[in-house]
Amino acid sequence: MLDFLMGLSEEDATFLSRIAIGFVVCLGAVIGSFLNVCIYRIPLGQSVSRPRSHCFSCGKTIPWYHNIPVLTWFILRGKCSNCRAPISFRYPVIEALTAILFLLVFQMWGNPALLGLNPLSIPELIPIFWLFVASTVVNVMIDIDHRILLDRISIGGTLLIFAVSAAFPILHGATGWFSGLLAAFGGALFGFALGFAIAFLGERIFLQDAFGFGDVKWMMLFGALFGWVGLLWIMLLASFLGLVMGSGVLIYNRLKGLSDERAVAIPFGPALGLSALLWLFWGQALLTAFISLRSWVLMHEQGVLFCFVPLLCLMSAWLIFRIRMIRKYNREWMASEAEEGKPSAQVVHESEEEGGTSHV
Ligand SMILES: [Zn+2]
C-alpha cells in the first residue's frame, strides 16, 4: 500500500512522518470533541448531529471559533463565553485523550512503515483500531455516568469485526478469509461464554448483578478482536484494575461521606475498557515483562515468598471485606425495596392508566 514511500530519502520520510503525526493528533482531538457530544447525548436518546453544540446553561450555540478542541477550554478558562457558566474539565481531557490514543494507533500500525522501520506494519488496520479506541472511550464514560454499556458498540462492533476479519484476516494472523472469520467468531463465542459464567457466579456472590450483561456483550467484542488468549489477559488485567480502581473510589467516597448506591456499586466497564486499551498497545510488552518476572521469581524464590504471601493475604482480606460490604448493602437494599417497592409500583401503574397526568 505504501510502495511509493520506498524511494524516499530518510529526511523526506521523517518530514512526512511529522506531518502525518500532526494530522493524526488534530484528527484525534476533533473526533474527541465529537465523542464528548456522543457521551452526553446518546444516553439521553438525543441526536448527535442536531442541534449544534450549545451551552448547557444559557443555551447559546457555540460558534465554530470557540469549538476548537482542547485549546478553546484553556482560552476561555473553562467558562462559557456568553454567560460565564463553568464548562467541565472533562471535555478537554477527553479530547486530549482521544488525540493520544489516535496517535498511539498510528505509531503502532502506520508510522513505522512510513519511516521504513517496519515492513510488517499494516496501515489498513488503522481505521479499525481508531474506531475501537473511540468506541471504548464512549463506553467507559457512559458507564461511569449512567451504568450503561451501549449495545450499538458491543453488538454492532462485533458484527463489524466479523466483516473486517474476513476482509483482513491478518488481524488474527490468518491468511484466508474463512480462517480470519473463524478466529473472530471463536473469540466472540469464548468471550460471551466466559462473561456469562462470570455474571452467573457474580450474581451468586454479590446477590445482585455486579457484573452486568452489558459487560458480557462487551467481552464478546474483545474476544472477536483479540482472540481468546487476548481476552483472558484482558480479564486478568481488568480484575486487578477493577480491584485497585474500585478500592480507590470506595475510599474516596468514604472520605467524602457518600454512602448511597453510586458510592458502593462501582461499574466494571472502566476497568474492562482500560485493560483492553492496555492490551492493544502494550500486550507484547506485558507478555515480555511477565516472562522476565517469572524467571526473576524463580531466581529469588524465598525473598519473593517473604514479600508476596503477606501481600496476597492483605489483598484477599480486602476482597472479602468488599464482598461482605456489597452483600450487606444489597440485602438492605432488597429489604427496603420489598417494603416500599410494591405499593409505589401500584400507584405508578394506576397513574399510567389514568393517562399519566398525576405526579407520583
Ligand atoms: Zn452559556
Side-chain angles (χ1 to χ4, degrees):
M1 187 181 155
L2 293 171
D3 288 342
F4 72 94
L5 293 169
M6 295 303 275
L8 282 181
S9 71
E10 199 176 315
E11 239 167 78
D12 288 345
T14 311
F15 178 69
L16 255 184
S17 155
R18 279 190 190 143
I19 289 183
I21 286 173
F23 173 75
V24 168
V25 168
C26 291
L27 178 74
V30 170
I31 297 285
S33 178
F34 175 66
L35 296 186
N36 273 322
V37 176
C38 294
I39 291 162
Y40 183 79
R41 292 189 187 177
I42 290 176
L44 302 179
Q46 296 173 353
S47 158
V48 292
S49 54
R50 252 165 249 268
R52 287 189 49 201
S53 300
H54 52 82
C55 169
F56 295 126
S57 194
C58 64
K60 187 177 180 282
T61 302
I62 296 166
W64 65 268
Y65 52 86
H66 279 165
N67 218 346
I68 305 158
V70 188
L71 294 180
T72 297
W73 194 91
F74 288 98
I75 290 167
L76 297 174
R77 295 205 183 94
K79 289 188 179 97
C80 167
S81 61
N82 189 39
C83 69
R84 314 300 299 159
I87 302 166
S88 171
F89 186 58
R90 222 173 82 170
Y91 293 97
V93 169
I94 300 266
E95 285 155 0
L97 177 72
T98 311
I100 291 168
L101 291 174
F102 267 50
L103 183 61
L104 282 173
V105 168
F106 176 70
Q107 292 290 61
M108 204 146 178
W109 282 279
N111 206 17
L114 200 61
L115 289 169
L117 293 174
N118 182 1
L120 291 176
S121 289
I122 315 159
E124 291 93 328
L125 296 182
I126 292 173
I128 296 153
F129 285 113
W130 276 348
L131 212 58
F132 174 71
V133 295
S135 69
T136 304
V137 169
V138 170
N139 239 2
V140 164
M141 294 317 290
I142 292 181
D143 198 32
I144 290 173
D145 287 349
H146 301 275
R147 307 294 150 97
I148 306 169
L149 293 169
L150 298 176
D151 272 355
R152 68 184 84 176
I153 288 178
S154 307
I155 296 174
T158 304
L159 293 177
L160 188 68
I161 291 167
F162 287 164
V164 166
S165 303
F168 303 105
I170 194 153
L171 182 64
H172 299 281
T175 41
W177 70 270
F178 187 70
S179 43
L181 187 64
L182 205 65
F185 194 74
L189 205 66
F190 180 77
F192 191 82
L194 182 66
F196 203 79
I198 293 173
F200 181 75
L201 282 177
E203 211 185 312
R204 287 291 158 89
I205 296 171
F206 294 105
L207 299 177
Q208 211 180 19
D209 39 347
F211 188 85
F213 205 58
D215 298 302
V216 176
K217 284 179 276 188
W218 212 16
M219 278 176 69
M220 179 175 73
L221 183 147
F222 295 153
L225 188 58
F226 299 112
W228 67 275
V229 177
L231 181 78
L232 280 181
W233 278 98
I234 290 171
M235 289 313 288
L236 195 71
L237 271 176
S239 36
F240 176 71
L241 283 178
L243 192 69
V244 173
M245 286 158 71
S247 307
V249 173
L250 199 75
I251 292 167
Y252 176 80
N253 285 340
R254 266 290 159 88
L255 292 178
K256 285 194 90 181
L258 296 170
S259 62
D260 64 338
E261 191 202 2
R262 309 206 110 232
V264 180
I266 292 143
F268 190 59
L272 207 53
L274 190 59
S275 304
L277 292 179
L278 285 176
W279 177 253
L280 174 64
F281 296 122
W282 294 287
Q284 205 62 48
L286 199 83
L287 285 182
T288 314
F290 185 75
I291 290 165
S292 46
L293 184 76
R294 190 174 153 270
S295 47
W296 189 83
V297 166
L298 288 178
M299 267 167 64
H300 305 81
E301 228 167 310
Q302 283 167 344
V304 169
L305 228 65
F306 185 73
C307 304
F308 193 67
V309 170
L311 193 73
L312 205 68
C313 291
L314 209 68
M315 267 178 74
S316 312
W318 173 241
L319 194 66
I320 292 167
F321 170 73
R322 277 281 284 140
I323 291 174
R324 282 176 65 112
M325 208 174 93
I326 294 174
R327 278 178 79 111
K328 177 172 164 280
Y329 174 80
N330 284 339
R331 220 176 277 128
E332 283 167 10
W333 181 78
M334 279 192 288
S336 69
E337 279 287 287
E339 264 173 41
E340 304 159 23
K342 278 181 184 166
S344 72
Q346 268 175 351
V347 174
V348 170
H349 203 77
E350 276 166 20
S351 73
E352 275 170 1
E353 280 171 352
E354 284 163 14
T357 43
S358 61
H359 299 276
V360 184

